[in-house]
Amino acid sequence: LADACGGSLTVLEVDRNELTSLPGHDLSRLTALTRLTAADNQISCIPEEIGGLSSLRELNLDRNNLQGLPPSLGNCTALQEISAAENRITSIPGSLAACSLLQTLRLNKNMISQVPPELLSHACPSLWMLDLAANPITADQLRSTHNYAIFDERRRAKANKQLEGGVLLDSSRAFKEGADSQEWEHWRAVQK
């Protein structure tokens, strides 16, 4: 594939192909790739070579068999959106904090029980939408994570700006807190 495209391929969509892996060597040669979507497959591991995709802006790995994301993903500094929902991911690599343009991280329906504090800090200044619904982490745990206040301020500012500008098209996406709403309601009741 990389030979046929000569490194000029910008979008690669391989959804619903029963893939069990992505070829690392070929993947690393797709240097112009801006969007990679490999949802609805049976992929269990993403190769470290994905870190060589310096132009990658959007990554969709929803509904696979992933148990983790490679730390090299932090080298994809152009990333703006990562979606790896409905997998078996147990942890988030702290290296994602190097993705300063990352705005959206969707990891709902996984097995995540904590968030790296550096991901919520000023190191990742664009992140404002973190979807961790249907994970073991609770709203209380998320809020007690170091740097959560920094992230929360950024998230609220972005949502308020959208509301003021009248551009909020999908409020369920903008106000995703990251933990189950049942936990959120419990937390609110305790605060009263």
Side-chain angles (χ1 to χ4, degrees), residues 14-20 22 37-43 62-65:
V14 291
D15 299 341
R16 295 176 291 282
N17 278 294
E18 298 183 17
L19 298 175
T20 56
L22 293 174
T37 176
D40 298 299
N41 283 293
Q42 299 167 10
I43 300 168
D62 292 347
R63 293 172 299 282
N64 277 287
N65 294 320

Side-chain angles (χ1 to χ4, degrees), residues 17-18 22 24-25 27 36 39 48 51 56-57 65 72 77 84 87 99-100 118 131 143 170 178 180 188 191:
N17 278 294
E18 298 183 17
L22 293 174
H25 177 67
L27 193 61
L36 171 60
E48 287 289 333
L56 190 63
R57 292 191 311 248
N65 294 320
S72 66
T77 55
N87 280 285
C99 300
S100 62
E118 58 270 28
D131 186 351
R143 286 187 188 88
D170 183 355
D180 288 327
R188 285 183 44 193
Q191 296 299 313

Side-chain angles (χ1 to χ4, degrees), residues 78-116:
L79 268 172
Q80 296 174 7
E81 181 175 342
I82 299 172
S83 188
E86 298 182 48
N87 280 285
R88 292 188 231 148
I89 297 171
T90 58
S91 64
I92 304 169
S95 61
L96 287 182
C99 300
S100 62
L101 301 177
L102 185 63
Q103 298 174 22
T104 303
L105 182 57
R106 286 187 189 88
L107 295 170
N108 54 303
K109 296 185 181 177
N110 276 288
M111 301 178 76
I112 296 166
S113 58
Q114 63 183 2
V115 175

Side-chain angles (χ1 to χ4, degrees), residues 101-160:
L101 301 177
L102 185 63
Q103 298 174 22
T104 303
L105 182 57
R106 286 187 189 88
L107 295 170
N108 54 303
K109 296 185 181 177
N110 276 288
M111 301 178 76
I112 296 166
S113 58
Q114 63 183 2
V115 175
E118 58 270 28
L119 191 63
L120 303 176
S121 74
H122 295 298
C124 196
S126 299
L127 183 65
W128 68 276
M129 209 291 268
L130 177 62
D131 186 351
L132 294 171
N135 274 283
I137 192 170
T138 65
D140 289 340
Q141 290 170 319
L142 181 61
R143 286 187 188 88
S144 68
T145 303
H146 185 66
N147 294 327
Y148 178 79
I150 296 168
F151 165 75
D152 192 46
E153 182 179 325
R154 186 170 53 237
R155 179 188 66 82
R156 289 175 187 265
K158 178 72 171 182
N160 287 341

